[in-house]
Amino acid sequence: MEAHSSSPLLLSRKRRREGSNGETEEGERPGKVPRCTVGLKHPAPFADELEPADDKPYLRVSMDEAKRGTPPDRPVRVYADGIFDVFHSGHARALMQAKGLFPNTHLIVGVCSDDLTHKYKGFTVMNEDERYDAVSHCRYVDEVVRNAPWTLTPEFLAKHRIDFVAHDDIPYSSAGSDDVYKHIKEAGMFAPTQRTEGISTSDIITRIVRDYDVYVRRNLQRGYTAKELNVSFINEKKYHLQERVDKVKRKVRDVEEKSKEFVQKVEEKSIDLIQKWEEKSREFIGNFLQMFGPEGALKHMLKEGKGRMLQAISPRQSPNSSPTREERSPSPTFRLPFFTKTSPPPSPPPHHSAARGYPISEDDDEDDED
């Protein structure tokens, strides 16, 4: 039940594929799922190494019975076959869908041999033993049939007690037939699955062939010899030369990136220095003009000093008319510091004696007083 119920969530897992224009397309990614540990510790067994089935007669279950669910001791036996060369996620997703077709599913996977594959489809990258082993280690597989037939016969279906055959519903023309699954579909034993677009063995091989030089150089770097890679002596030297040239290019690119970073840092610092220098120069020019400019402080100082010097060296101009005796201010009386007696009041103007008719001197007056 768990495999069947969880299959829609697993089928919607995000998938990246390369479109025809080289851009990557993305599918939907489901929400978070709870953590769990699947207790798979061993690969799936091969059918020819299992014990023979019981003697009960082979009776298929119908589609309705399979969807409703079968008893634990009677799982629905689903068969899926293929080449499975260069086993990839597209193969795993197809097997996952086959495993999740019904609540109780026993998945049997048939892998064709090298002889049949080379005859009907072409050469493979992996040999049959490698392909058998790769499929047996897929978590969805319960049983592996080696040397599977190209066309399914009733005898093969009965021998392995197969209830349904899982494959994508695109007609598969091969071995002189328009669809090798046509008789399976007519018998009502076909269970369709969906192909995973953008990934296939042919696509992977196409990538390798398209970038052949890249992968040859890659393996030469990892120690493979030119003989192992089927590369001529001249091509080997060419690839080694290309690798050296690429190393030089990478070094030059690294130096260019580092030099760009250094130049960028120098430019940033130079811009800061230029800005600071401009600010300081503006400040210096402003202070200079404020001191030595046409209306600067130095000019005012010189004018003021010149005026004071002219005022000091030029004579004082006399007034137009001299003041009269009465307008002049009286000169101050000079007194010596050792005289404490006050000066006598000014003497009255001299007077003439009426009798004698000559003036009386001050001495005479003093004598009279004596």
Side-chain angles (χ1 to χ4, degrees), residues 298-335:
L298 182 61
K299 183 176 181 180
H300 292 290
M301 292 170 61
L302 293 175
K303 284 183 178 180
E304 184 178 354
K306 182 179 179 181
R308 290 180 179 178
M309 291 175 63
L310 292 174
Q311 185 177 3
I313 63 177
S314 63
R316 184 178 296 177
Q317 295 180 355
S318 301
N320 295 332
S321 58
S322 298
T324 59
R325 185 179 182 88
E326 289 79 4
E327 291 177 353
R328 293 178 183 175
S329 57
S331 58
T333 305
F334 180 76
R335 298 179 182 179

Side-chain angles (χ1 to χ4, degrees), residues 139-156:
R139 61 184 298 182
Y140 310 110
V141 179
D142 299 307
E143 185 179 338
V144 178
V145 176
R146 294 182 284 194
N147 193 16
W150 198 262
T151 302
L152 302 178
T153 61
E155 293 77 17
F156 180 83

Side-chain angles (χ1 to χ4, degrees), residues 49-104:
E49 296 178 352
L50 295 174
E51 296 179 355
D54 52 18
D55 295 334
K56 293 181 181 180
Y58 166 58
L59 297 174
R60 286 187 56 247
V61 296
S62 64
M63 183 67 72
D64 293 336
E65 291 174 346
K67 290 181 177 180
R68 285 196 302 267
T70 57
D73 58 346
R74 177 57 176 93
V76 180
R77 295 174 67 85
V78 177
Y79 178 80
D81 58 357
I83 309 302
F84 302 104
D85 189 24
V86 191
F87 193 87
H88 51 75
S89 62
H91 296 141
R93 290 175 66 85
L95 299 178
M96 178 186 67
Q97 294 178 64
K99 180 70 174 178
L101 286 171
F102 307 109
N104 185 16

Side-chain angles (χ1 to χ4, degrees), residues 202-220:
S202 299
D203 292 338
I204 294 174
I205 294 174
T206 301
R207 297 177 198 173
I208 297 173
V209 172
R210 181 184 60 198
D211 300 326
Y212 170 78
D213 292 349
V214 175
Y215 293 109
V216 171
R217 289 167 55 185
R218 171 187 180 274
N219 282 7
L220 286 173

Side-chain angles (χ1 to χ4, degrees), residues 220 226-227 230-240:
L220 286 173
K227 185 177 180 180
N230 196 24
V231 175
S232 65
F233 176 80
I234 296 176
N235 287 335
E236 180 187 8
K237 299 304 178 183
K238 181 187 73 173
Y239 293 136
H240 284 304

Side-chain angles (χ1 to χ4, degrees), residues 269-286:
K269 291 183 178 180
S270 63
I271 290 172
D272 294 338
L273 291 174
I274 290 172
Q275 290 178 350
K276 291 180 180 179
W277 181 82
E278 288 179 349
E279 293 176 358
K280 294 294 183 181
S281 62
R282 290 194 192 100
E283 184 178 357
F284 175 77
I285 292 171

Side-chain angles (χ1 to χ4, degrees), residues 251-263:
K251 289 182 180 180
V252 171
R253 192 180 304 113
D254 294 339
V255 172
E256 288 179 352
E257 292 178 356
K258 291 180 180 179
S259 62
K260 286 180 181 178
E261 293 178 359
F262 176 75
V263 171

